[in-house]
Amino acid sequence: MAKNDTLKTASVLAFERKLDPSDALFRAGNWEDRAQVTQWAFIPVREKSVRGTISNRLKAKDQDPLKLDAAIENPNLQTVDVATLPHEADTLAVRFTLRVLAGAGTPSACNDAEYQKKLAQTVSGYVNEHGFDELAHRYACNLANGRFLWRNRIGAEEVEVVVSQMKEGQPEKTWTFNALEQSTRDFTGDAQTRELGGTIAQALAGKQYLLLDVVAFARIGAGQEVFPSQELILDRSRGDKSKTLYSIGDGDDKKAAIHSQKLGNALRTIDTWYPVPEDSNGLGPIAIEPYGSVTTQGTAYRQPNPGKGKEKLDFYNLLDNWLLKDQIPPVDQQHFVMATLIRGGVFGDAG
Amino acid sequence: MDHYIDIRLRPDPDFAPAMLMGALYNKLHRALFDLQATDLGVSFPAHKHGVRARTLGDHLRLHGTQGRLEQLMGADWLTGMRDHTQVSELLAVPDNAQHINVARKQFNTGSPSRAKRYAKRHDISEGEAQQIYANLAARRIELPFVQINSRSTQQRFSLFIEHGMSQEKLVAGSFNHYGLSPDATVPWF
């Protein structure tokens, strides 16, 4: 057995992300006028102040009747951001561009030539055997099903996604999907998603340059609330705005938008290969993350220390076993490792 | 009301059950409105109440006659929620089922507009009216609720739902477009 005792993980090891979305801007218009989306007005972010009621759980010490009465004197005044469709428009358009870069598996920084060589061998082994078809098709499905709309997808009456391959500023080829017909639970896809997936696979393999223009139309209903990204505001003091929505532009010209990171997270929600907890009945795909972390649930599904008799299926264990110990992971986990490299990140040895 | 359909929310890494239940219930309301249905009811077998844990749960049960439920499900109102729900077959209600009333409850939550109106009627200042309403505003409601957009008035509001005591006897009556009724009962099992 060709066990390599000298090879070590490089202390500097970083990968650029290969799926690079822009921020997505929100526009409003009517479902029948989808062809004229470029003339639709942007959706502004507005501020509103509301007088809420005290409804949060009280700490044990605040449950004293005197203290509660004191709390009642100060009703829960809040200033929040909102974004809604205007009353004469029933459809939300979310538009962004997506660059697909070649060189998946080639580090952008690596200080160990031996390790880099082994990495290149391993990656080309994977590409020769499987190609990028499986991964690219899953990314294509996540474009087609409109997962990147997040809350805007749920409750919409109709959702249409138009993906155009751009060349010199002009659409060269266009795919149109009925997003609600596409499943967000599995990646069966159809002829169209496979064609789009093929194009993405070509770009990941470096056989062509690819820039996609993506427009999603969600028919939500006139005047309805839409959901841009919410900003994380650190060190907020009491009395500050309690909800700030992401917008591009200043002053009165605040255009509602979704963070590029949030789009990226939706596109790489393709991990169905994580170990399923015994008591769960089908959670569906989760985002590609080294430890399989799902922040909304506060759970990591790929634990580096899963307990006795269970396999270590986190990214670092899989990668190290594959490269340093020549233990080739099962096909599914190979897909996961490659998807993590496409996601990008800093994976150097902690020492 | 001798048949039912169970709709269960599937667990989802990105969306909390309460949010999904809100979207599902809004869709159901639109469907019931479009059908102008007065003979279809709902219940939430997994609901919880109490200030600490008020939630409708992850389980919505639709009640009606076989023909009427078939008509509703034929309307394709679940579009867009299919990935998030598990829908049972059309099933017959078990013989030993109890009966329960599921009703909307409205509360005076001391909203500013309400305080304003009170001030006008009683000829006092708005500040005083708000003082009077402060207790109401701070009162904590123990019933589970869902945020709804009314199909007829376009208003967005919190719909509080109360499940009554289960009882032996059936009470007939009509249901509103939220599948709720002030007096009629649905089977409970």
Side-chain angles (χ1 to χ4, degrees), chain B residues 97-187:
Chain B
Q98 297 260 313
H99 301 275
I100 196 171
N101 170 252
V102 185
R104 173 177 183 191
K105 285 281 162 192
Q106 279 173 281
F107 296 92
N108 179 353
T109 51
S111 66
S113 60
R114 223 165 159 151
K116 216 167 175 175
R117 183 173 143 72
Y118 186 89
K120 217 170 182 177
R121 269 186 309 157
H122 292 81
D123 199 22
I124 54 172
S125 78
E126 278 182 33
E128 278 174 85
Q130 273 175 15
Q131 284 288 320
I132 293 168
Y133 273 42
N135 279 312
L136 292 170
R139 189 176 51 171
R140 292 174 300 154
I141 295 159
E142 298 199 348
L143 293 179
F145 70 97
V146 63
Q147 288 271 328
I148 285 269
N149 289 295
S150 162
R151 184 72 158 180
S152 49
T153 64
Q154 301 296 328
Q155 290 289 320
R156 187 173 175 81
F157 63 96
S158 295
L159 176 69
F160 292 92
I161 294 172
E162 183 171 63
H163 287 68
M165 298 292 279
S166 62
Q167 59 198 57
E168 298 287 336
K169 272 170 69 186
L170 177 153
V171 182
S174 71
F175 293 83
N176 62 19
H177 295 150
Y178 303 100
L180 304 174
S181 172
D183 41 34
T185 58
V186 293

Side-chain angles (χ1 to χ4, degrees), chain A residues 33-319:
Chain A
D33 309 329
R34 298 197 297 289
Q36 285 90 44
V37 66
T38 48
Q39 275 130 57
W40 290 16
F42 292 106
I43 297 180
V45 170
R46 294 182 283 124
E47 234 177 53
K48 73 173 177 188
S49 296
V50 291
R51 182 178 187 275
T53 57
I54 294 172
S55 53
N56 57 312
R57 289 190 190 186
L58 295 174
K59 290 180 198 145
K61 70 175 173 65
D62 292 338
Q63 286 178 357
D64 167 1
L66 280 175
K67 288 229 170 108
L68 185 59
D69 282 347
I72 288 167
E73 301 278 302
N74 307 308
N76 192 7
L77 299 174
Q78 296 176 318
T79 306
V80 293
D81 275 348
V82 284
T84 57
L85 293 180
H87 278 279
E88 61 280 358
D90 67 351
T91 300
L92 164 73
V94 176
R95 184 173 201 178
F96 65 99
T97 56
L98 175 68
R99 229 158 28 116
V100 185
L101 301 168
T106 313
S108 59
C110 179
N111 64 351
D112 186 334
E114 279 295 304
Y115 185 85
Q116 189 165 356
K117 205 171 123 195
K118 185 66 191 289
L119 184 67
Q121 274 174 17
T122 310
V123 171
S124 67
Y126 170 88
V127 176
N128 288 338
E129 197 174 342
H130 309 290
F132 287 112
D133 294 342
E134 176 66 29
L135 295 179
H137 182 246
R138 290 182 176 222
Y139 297 134
C141 286
N142 277 340
L143 285 172
N145 65 26
R147 188 195 295 279
F148 54 85
L149 291 170
W150 294 95
R151 275 188 81 167
N152 301 300
R153 183 184 192 275
I154 292 172
E157 288 168 53
E158 288 173 89
V159 180
E160 184 179 275
V161 178
V162 181
V163 182
S164 313
Q165 181 180 356
M166 304 300 284
K167 220 158 229 170
E168 288 158 4
Q170 293 301 318
E172 193 183 54
K173 177 149 184 43
T174 296
W175 295 268
T176 303
F177 300 98
N178 178 349
L180 297 182
E181 295 286 307
Q182 303 277 342
S183 173
T184 57
R185 286 269 162 180
D186 61 57
F187 297 99
T188 319
D190 55 24
Q192 276 212 91
T193 58
R194 271 188 287 279
E195 197 190 9
L196 176 58
T199 311
I200 295 172
Q202 295 264 312
L204 287 171
K207 289 176 187 151
Q208 65 167 343
Y209 168 83
L210 183 60
L211 178 70
L212 297 173
D213 176 88
V214 183
V215 192
F217 299 97
R219 188 173 199 168
I220 303 179
Q224 291 292 312
E225 188 171 7
V226 295
F227 302 98
S229 293
Q230 199 170 331
E231 295 271 38
L232 172 69
I233 310 286
L234 297 169
D235 59 50
R236 174 160 47 207
S237 61
R238 224 185 134 71
D240 283 1
K241 191 154 62 176
S242 54
K243 181 157 104 179
T244 308
L245 296 178
Y246 182 49
S247 58
I248 297 174
D250 296 311
D252 291 336
D253 180 39
K254 289 184 162 181
K255 299 165 186 154
I258 299 184
H259 291 144
S260 60
Q261 287 85 348
K262 207 162 164 65
L263 298 175
N265 182 289
L267 295 184
R268 65 181 146 83
T269 299
I270 61 168
D271 186 0
T272 52
W273 310 297
Y274 58 94
V276 179
E278 279 142 26
D279 55 348
S280 99
N281 51 348
L283 190 63
I286 63 174
I288 293 286
E289 290 291 331
Y291 294 115
S293 46
V294 176
T295 45
T296 49
Q297 302 199 326
T299 310
Y301 286 94
R302 292 174 173 273
Q303 293 281 350
N305 280 314
K308 257 201 174 144
K310 288 182 189 159
E311 278 187 279
K312 297 177 174 180
L313 292 176
D314 69 298
F315 169 71
Y316 296 102
N317 272 304
L318 289 167
L319 184 74

Side-chain angles (χ1 to χ4, degrees), chain B residues 69-88:
Chain B
L69 284 171
E70 271 168 5
Q71 194 186 355
L72 173 69
M73 297 314 279
D76 211 22
W77 60 279
L78 272 169
T79 312
M81 285 303 291
R82 272 190 230 106
D83 288 340
H84 301 287
T85 51
Q86 244 167 352
V87 182
S88 76

